[in-house]
Amino acid sequence: MASSYVTFSTVTPVVSSSNIRRVFRLAFTRRRVTLSPNARRRILRISAKASTKNAMEYRKLGDSDLNISEVTMGTMTFGEQNTEKESHEMLSYAIEEGINCIDTAEAYPIPMKKETQGKTDLYISSWLNSQQRDKIVLATKVCGYSERSAYIRDSGEVLRVDAANIKESVEKSLKRLGTDYIDLLQIHWPDRYVPLFGDFYYETSKWRPSVPFAEQLRAFQDLIVEGKVRYIGVSNETSYGVMEFVNTAKLEGLPKIVSIQNGYSLLVRCRYEVDLVEVCHPKNCNVGLLAYSPLGGGSLSGKYLATDQEATKNARLNLFPGYMERYKGSLAKEATIQYVEVAKKYGLTPVELALGFVRDRPFVTSTIIGATSVKQLKEDIDAFLMTERPFSQEVMADIDAVFKRFKDPSFV
């Protein structure tokens, strides 16, 4: 069966209905071919995709005055899978393409290790020295509760989201990053127990006492007053957490969170769509979504479906056994196969379908993309700028058909 992919030259002729008819008359001299309206529209759409580049869009983050690009540069591979030189090349390319938001964390690079902790920030710092700081929105994250990562603090004690931990985290982040302020400081994961990183259900037996929301917000307020932090946000958070932070800020006169950084993709939708969409709506709590893992750890690119394991031996899910294991299950794999088929049907690559889907969701402020090479980064950015916006009703109908069958397969 012939491939559904179409290859275009760098010089694309003007597309018109008459040109399409001429091409088909030449290609089929012995048999008359009649195109359906849908097929004709699809040919026009594919050609337009190859010849037209949209401009990067910028959106206000929650109720802050931060206008951030629809694509945020993720950096968690810097210092583990990427050298300093490679990191600089990707950061520079991102800026050239219009990205103005860079996301890091004190825990990076990933996987978290004492030997490499903080290298991501150092790589960003050495690049940031040659940039206009006020043109870049720099976001970082303070760790949540952790017994395994006590090495991050001078005390060597369990990580908590209290005043002492937050202050130490920020002071060290500022030093590593070589800047005197952070545009957006996020809590990487909550201080209280919540199901994280692949866990779906809340286990009531795991409830534990946590740092009060007001205490966390007061610590952030002190840093904002000192000019070291501009805005605050959360990550890997639930509806309960968002509403408590927002309500506490309102009652106590404390800083309000403006963002939430949660996983969202074709394979992970329910956790956000069920109720966080309503909670974070501009008319409700007005908290902007920074969607991470839009490619499901790279699985939605289709590369892990290849029978040749040698081709993906250095890919993240194979390089670090056990990491993001949820995306390697049989149902997640089957759903990915179905999404790849949808992409082929409309002349899209799997990456274009997956990133275009997240891009077009009305509740997504910015999508965080990560890469291990400029080539990979270019493919990701082009998926935002070189495909039709928004996707057609036909594309979305086929996506919804797959979703109704599999829902969130990576949590099964």
Side-chain angles (χ1 to χ4, degrees), residues 392-411:
S392 68
Q393 292 181 357
E394 294 92 341
V395 174
M396 292 306 300
D398 283 353
I399 287 175
D400 285 343
V402 178
F403 174 68
K404 287 175 182 176
R405 178 182 175 190
F406 292 99
K407 293 294 190 285
D408 282 13
S410 57
F411 286 110

Side-chain angles (χ1 to χ4, degrees), residues 255-279:
K256 175 186 171 295
I257 59 171
V258 300
S259 66
I260 178 171
Q261 184 179 144
N262 276 25
Y264 186 79
S265 69
L266 287 169
L267 297 176
V268 181
R269 295 176 56 176
C270 296
R271 289 282 295 269
Y272 199 86
E273 291 184 8
V274 167
D275 53 12
L276 272 166
V277 169
E278 178 185 14
V279 170

Side-chain angles (χ1 to χ4, degrees), residues 75-89:
T75 62
M76 73 177 190
T77 61
F78 295 3
E80 179 64 52
Q81 291 174 265
N82 289 111
T83 64
E84 187 170 19
K85 181 176 182 293
E86 291 168 340
S87 301
H88 289 185
E89 289 172 349

Side-chain angles (χ1 to χ4, degrees), residues 36 40 70 91 123 127 149 154 158-159 161-163 202 205 281 287 318 339 354 370:
S36 68
R40 188 182 295 273
E70 63 182 316
L91 286 168
Y123 287 7
W127 171 84
S149 306
D154 291 339
V158 175
L159 301 184
V161 191
D162 57 20
Y202 186 96
S205 62
H281 192 283
V287 176
N318 292 332
Y339 284 124

